Amino acid sequence: MAQLVVAADAGRPLRLFSLSLGPARLHFAIGGFTMMGALSIASWGLLVGAIGQWAFYGRLFPRLPAWLVMGALFVPWLIVLTISFCNRAPFGPGPFRRCLVFAMCWYGILAVLAEVLYWWIQPAPRGHFSLIVARVLMYCAGAASFFVFVRACVVLCRYQVNPGAEPAASPNGGPTKHLGNSRGDGGPPSVR
């Protein structure tokens, strides 16, 4: 079972990626990675997307030093890589989720700003790096990693609301919905 132990929960395991997909569970569908491993792998999509964004910003602002432009574009990748590098989260589920949301917002704002500025300024073509390739890197690699980030945010939010419950799974492997009480007049079929 894919688990993440959050430091603020005193060693209590937080089971993530356990959404049922028919007979199999999601953690098997993503190759058995834990949430931290999946976030770390998805963060590399932000790095590839930042290279695509750099193709835009490099044409828009050719006189700015490359390290300055790349430094601003690498912030989302560095945030997600830093918080997902270890097996344990560096802080509780609330700040962890807010860091993921901040990284997604930063990346999204920079991507939209690049498109708007390119449409407004319309710089001259420069270099051999096509803007079609830049858009593919920016949207297919960078923004596609948002699927993993949004799923992690949803699971963390559910865990924050109900810390004792595992989302979409029952403790004994039975059905996930409550079948009734265990009084003599009702209850699960095994009691009747």
Side-chain angles (χ1 to χ4, degrees):
M1 174 69 65
Q3 295 181 354
L4 163 74
V5 178
V6 179
D9 294 327
R12 189 175 59 202
L14 168 63
R15 294 189 175 121
L16 300 172
F17 295 124
S18 60
L19 179 69
S20 294
L21 294 175
R25 294 197 181 265
L26 182 61
H27 71 275
F28 292 127
I30 62 170
F33 292 115
T34 63
M35 182 186 81
M36 299 302 268
L39 287 174
S40 182
I41 291 170
S43 75
W44 291 97
L46 290 178
L47 175 66
V48 173
I51 293 170
Q53 287 179 340
W54 178 76
F56 275 92
Y57 285 106
R59 290 179 185 193
L60 291 168
F61 308 110
R63 296 189 183 181
L64 282 178
W67 64 268
L68 184 65
V69 175
M70 291 299 275
L73 298 175
F74 281 162
V75 168
W77 170 66
L78 288 173
I79 289 172
V80 176
L81 183 70
T82 303
I83 65 174
S84 66
F85 186 72
C86 302
N87 287 335
R88 289 179 177 238
F91 29 71
F96 193 85
R97 182 177 47 84
R98 285 190 288 278
C99 283
L100 288 176
V101 169
F102 177 77
M104 287 188 292
C105 289
W106 184 296
Y107 184 87
I109 288 169
L110 287 177
V112 169
L113 185 64
E115 291 284 356
V116 168
L117 287 175
Y118 194 79
W119 175 77
W120 188 47
I121 296 174
Q122 296 182 356
R126 193 182 104 180
H128 299 289
F129 198 77
S130 169
L131 283 182
I132 294 172
V133 174
R135 283 187 176 104
V136 167
L137 292 177
M138 193 165 62
Y139 296 124
C140 293
S145 63
F146 284 15
F147 292 115
V148 176
F149 300 154
V150 168
R151 174 66 185 138
C153 287
V154 167
V155 170
L156 288 169
C157 187
R158 286 183 186 163
Y159 183 75
Q160 255 186 313
V161 171
N162 192 0
E166 179 183 344
S170 65
N172 61 358
T176 58
K177 75 175 201 174
H178 185 62
L179 292 176
N181 59 17
S182 58
R183 294 182 301 188
D185 61 342
S190 61
V191 178
R192 290 185 201 162

